[in-house]
Amino acid sequence: MDEFSEKTIEKIRGVRDSEIAPSRESQLTANFYARTCPNFRSVITRAVNSAVSSEARMGASLLRLHFHDCFGCDASVLLDTTANFTGEKGAGPNAGSIRGFNVIDTIKTQLERQCAGVVSCADILAAAARDSVVALGGPGWNLVFGRRDSTTASANTANSNLPAPTLSLSGLISSFSNQNLNANELVALSGAHTIGQARCTTFRSRLANDNNINASFATSTRANCPTSGGDNNLSPLDATPTRFDNRYFSDLISQRGLLHSDQELFNGGSTDALVRTYASNQATFFRDFASAMVKMSNLNPLTGSNGQIRTNCRRTN
């Protein structure tokens, strides 16, 4: 992603309040922390840049954390299991794969020193995802804040809401539609797979069963993903896994999508044309990705007196 805006200073749009019945999204504002924690963005940006500089893969991990939280956007994904609920960290889409909690902990600790009990973990996740994309060469987007943190989590909800890597195109469209995200936003957000890696267990079945896969790509990928064992062996999601660009879409056109669900976006279906557009025009992909991220980050936030501001992102107050 060529950077569209500075890493540490951004212009953020406000959200107009409804005159009659404000939605939860309308209660998010650009200047939510202007008086209570004016330096919170620079704290997050510095921590993210440091983490990504140490390990480029962390950028993808922080983006994924936000995505896996945001079919809710309430920081529930960060909660450890308690006697009262089974946390989302152990859900099928998350177990052994979501990471970056230590970076969020570091940010939260630093913010608590500056302005205790003010900045929510949900807002930290939203800002860290954006800064991660920018750090790896991608676009920025305008953020609004004021999300509050959930006091519970649900492994069952994570299992039912998060799209699986084995889904068909129709399954993907349905999964995203359930979150008020359309097919275009599905393809744009799937472009997040231009960074990061995936575990063998998520794409072994594609190597064994799919016909729409480049032969040399399949052979080279099998070397790191045997038919049994090696479940946690990693392979890059595209050919440039530490650079946010549009290579993911070019790889789909050449049938080098790593996950079955990736290749479904370019398999003779309704999304083929958009994949071609993004493969040929990185600026268009960046624009649409940023727009979709804004929409996703505002899905069903807790605001007002709902939830709480957790002082430790791993547990409730």
Side-chain angles (χ1 to χ4, degrees), residues 64-77 88 122 125:
R64 187 163 181 256
L65 258 188
H66 180 48
F67 180 88
H68 280 226
D69 182 50
C70 255
F71 280 36
C73 283
D74 56 6
S76 58
V77 74
E88 297 166 23
L125 279 176

Side-chain angles (χ1 to χ4, degrees), residues 66-67 70-71 141 176 179-191 278 284-299:
H66 180 48
F67 180 88
C70 255
F71 280 36
W141 52 90
F176 276 69
Q179 305 302 324
N180 197 32
L181 295 165
N182 62 36
N184 283 17
E185 290 158 343
L186 155 67
V187 179
L189 290 171
S190 295
Y278 290 159
T284 299
F285 163 50
F286 280 8
R287 181 200 67 204
D288 289 357
F289 179 81
S291 177
M293 285 298 297
V294 168
K295 183 174 177 179
M296 188 190 77
S297 70
N298 295 337
L299 290 175

Side-chain angles (χ1 to χ4, degrees), residues 253-266:
I253 291 172
S254 61
Q255 294 190 321
R256 293 172 181 265
L258 183 64
L259 306 180
H260 176 84
S261 56
D262 288 330
Q263 196 59 58
E264 281 290 289
L265 300 179
F266 191 83

Side-chain angles (χ1 to χ4, degrees), residues 134-148:
V134 171
L136 293 176
W141 52 90
N142 295 330
L143 287 169
V144 288
F145 301 99
R147 300 167 190 82
R148 289 169 65 84

